[in-house]
Amino acid sequence: MVAERNETKILLAIVENDPLYKQALESIFSLSPEFELTGLWGDTETAVREISRRYPHIVLMDIQLPVIEGIACIRKLKKVNPAIQFLVFTDYDQDDELVFDAFKAGATGYLLKKDGPELLIKSIKELHAGGSPMSRSIARKLINFFGRYPAIDGKEHLLTKREEEVLALLSEGKMYKEVAAWLGITMETTKKHIKHIYSKLEVQNRMEAVNKWRS
Amino acid sequence: MVAERNETKILLAIVENDPLYKQALESIFSLSPEFELTGLWGDTETAVREISRRYPHIVLMDIQLPVIEGIACIRKLKKVNPAIQFLVFTDYDQDDELVFDAFKAGATGYLLKKDGPELLIKSIKELHAGGSPMSRSIARKLINFFGRYPAIDGKEHLLTKREEEVLALLSEGKMYKEVAAWLGITMETTKKHIKHIYSKLEVQNRMEAVNKWRS
DNA sequence: GTTTTTATACCCCTTTTGGGGTATATAGGG
DNA sequence: CCCTATATACCCCAAAAGGGGTATAAAAAC
């Protein structure tokens, strides 16, 4: 049901600082019938400026020093165009925090340059299909990360009674002011409850909250 | 902690076309210590214009010919301020559709003028307490209503294929621009599809659409 | 061979939503 | 007794959603 995405090309944009890689990537993707190269930029500033006019499905994002710049670029672009998938393409895999920050910023894939072009192409397809391709060492880091923290959950008393009431009314499609009227509180208080709900469930809107709560 | 709103009087507004009733109602409610008459209007236009400045708890709504006007007035006011409770106060109880339309528009009480002032006062209190007061004949109509239709629904080809795709993405909590990106169309076109979906399903928002479609 | 439906794109506008604060009062746990 | 969680209320602000148009082209229906 998720449409005929398979019939169309994968729209790819590339941010690559290294001129050699830049040329190599261009020759790979500009000629392939499965991809359409909608952008090829050498720096993040140009990328930020151009990307909204190119609307790629995937952005292959080279991250070099300064690392912060690439991460910030992903975060910025992800905020504007949440639909775009970012595949980090870098040499750096030693610094755990860098890797985590990339994912926090919105990257959904993390590939090392040494992995080679075949895996790169495979990863882009995988990413476009909804997957999260990453190099083995990166995957290991992610797994280990969850060992660092006690893996909280519980979930039973995640939401308070009042918050559950609010969420139940939200799930019926009621507007904030209707929820407020129903509970006999002001709309601002209703908003406050909703903000807490979203924060606790780590979601950004009503639909996601309801889905998460129902699941 | 429960909102310092209704410890005191019931704030009542009245829309009554008939001058005689208007006077009678005023004398009843303007003197009663339990009620405070925040508005007394002879026509719906004035009511619509004034009501947001008077913030009543309850609106006693006279419905006369043309019936459509009174119904529309309730719908309009309920949309603006869902917290207000509407008590229909009319002579008409023969036309079933009229009664149902009043409830659909947002009325939560339906009283006939012939029921008399004691029941009127009792009904307003009942409404304010969260109840749904109505004349016996009206209650009967409501009950019978559910026997009228086999409670089925065609539902087969109500939405087009594309519209179903859009709705599926909406049900995941995706923003318009994400849906657009996913389907490879513009956000404006996405909005157009969504408008059609809401119109066909007779709903006003994403949550209601998803609920209706899933049911 | 018109007419209708579907899908697309873009315009206008208002309302709703979501996220960031601050502040008060109260109930409970350390 | 302090401190946190809960529930309430209010502020500001930007983004998203929703509702009203118009218009074009292709496909389906009549």
Side-chain angles (χ1 to χ4, degrees), chain A residues 159-172 174 178-180 182-185 190 193-194 197 213:
Chain A
L159 297 187
T160 68
K161 201 171 176 182
R162 199 54 153 174
E163 285 164 354
E164 287 199 45
E165 290 174 352
V166 171
L167 189 48
L169 293 169
L170 285 183
S171 77
E172 295 170 13
K174 287 194 162 57
E178 292 180 292
V179 174
W182 194 259
L183 296 178
I185 59 181
T190 303
H193 287 310
I194 292 169
I197 293 170
W213 191 241

Side-chain angles (χ1 to χ4, degrees), chain B residues 55-84:
Chain B
Y55 46 86
H57 297 133
I58 310 280
V59 172
L60 185 62
M61 175 73 69
D62 171 41
I63 291 193
Q64 297 195 14
L65 295 175
V67 156
I68 288 299
E69 192 184 294
I71 303 283
C73 181
I74 295 178
R75 188 177 295 112
K76 202 176 300 177
L77 294 175
K78 191 74 181 178
K79 179 86 180 180
V80 177
N81 198 338
I84 299 177

Side-chain angles (χ1 to χ4, degrees), chain A:
Chain A
M1 66 174 68
V2 182
E4 41 295 52
R5 298 181 69 226
N6 305 327
E7 297 166 18
T8 58
K9 293 184 175 184
I10 296 178
L11 302 182
L12 180 69
I14 298 177
V15 183
E16 174 59 68
N17 190 263
D18 186 320
L20 235 76
Y21 264 100
K22 198 173 172 185
Q23 177 137 21
L25 291 171
E26 180 172 19
S27 63
I28 291 173
F29 292 109
S30 65
L31 295 175
S32 169
E34 298 171 287
F35 299 97
E36 186 177 330
L37 204 53
T38 70
L40 178 59
W41 307 297
D43 61 288
T44 55
E45 286 80 9
T46 312
V48 170
R49 195 155 13 86
E50 294 285 327
I51 205 161
S52 40
R53 286 199 288 277
R54 305 308 185 88
Y55 236 104
H57 295 132
I58 309 282
V59 171
L60 185 62
M61 175 74 67
D62 172 40
I63 292 193
Q64 297 195 15
L65 296 174
V67 156
I68 288 298
E69 193 185 295
I71 303 283
C73 180
I74 294 178
R75 188 178 295 110
K76 202 177 298 177
L77 294 175
K78 191 72 181 178
K79 180 83 179 181
V80 179
N81 279 335
I84 298 177
Q85 302 295 309
F86 290 88
L87 178 57
V88 173
F89 190 54
T90 183
D91 280 319
Y92 303 98
D93 70 337
Q94 293 307 306
D95 184 346
D96 286 15
E97 295 307 324
L98 160 60
V99 176
F100 299 145
D101 283 347
F103 286 118
K104 284 179 194 165
T108 41
Y110 199 114
L111 213 60
L112 298 176
K113 288 188 174 179
K114 67 179 182 195
D115 285 331
E118 297 85 1
L119 193 52
L120 174 57
I121 291 173
K122 188 158 165 276
S123 294
I124 293 176
K125 290 179 185 173
E126 171 68 10
L127 190 56
H128 190 242
S132 301
M134 61 188 83
S135 301
R136 289 184 56 222
S137 63
I138 302 299
R140 171 62 57 91
K141 275 186 209 306
L142 280 190
I143 290 170
N144 289 341
F145 173 78
F146 293 104
R148 293 201 295 178
Y149 297 104
I152 35 135
D153 234 42
K155 183 170 189 175
E156 21 272 317
H157 291 101
L158 188 52
L159 297 187
T160 68
K161 201 171 176 182
R162 199 54 153 174
E163 285 164 354
E164 287 199 45
E165 290 174 352
V166 171
L167 189 48
L169 293 169
L170 285 183
S171 77
E172 295 170 13
K174 287 194 162 57
M175 293 186 302
Y176 290 1
K177 59 180 171 185
E178 292 180 292
V179 174
W182 194 259
L183 296 178
I185 59 181
T186 66
M187 197 180 80
E188 286 298 331
T189 301
T190 303
K191 285 173 64 178
K192 197 64 173 173
H193 287 310
I194 292 169
K195 277 182 261 190
H196 281 150
I197 293 170
Y198 292 176
S199 167
K200 286 181 176 179
L201 297 182
E202 298 177 294
V203 296
Q204 277 74 47
N205 59 57
R206 167 192 304 233
M207 200 73 235
E208 288 178 354
V210 170
N211 286 338
K212 198 149 192 169
W213 191 241
R214 281 178 176 165
S215 69

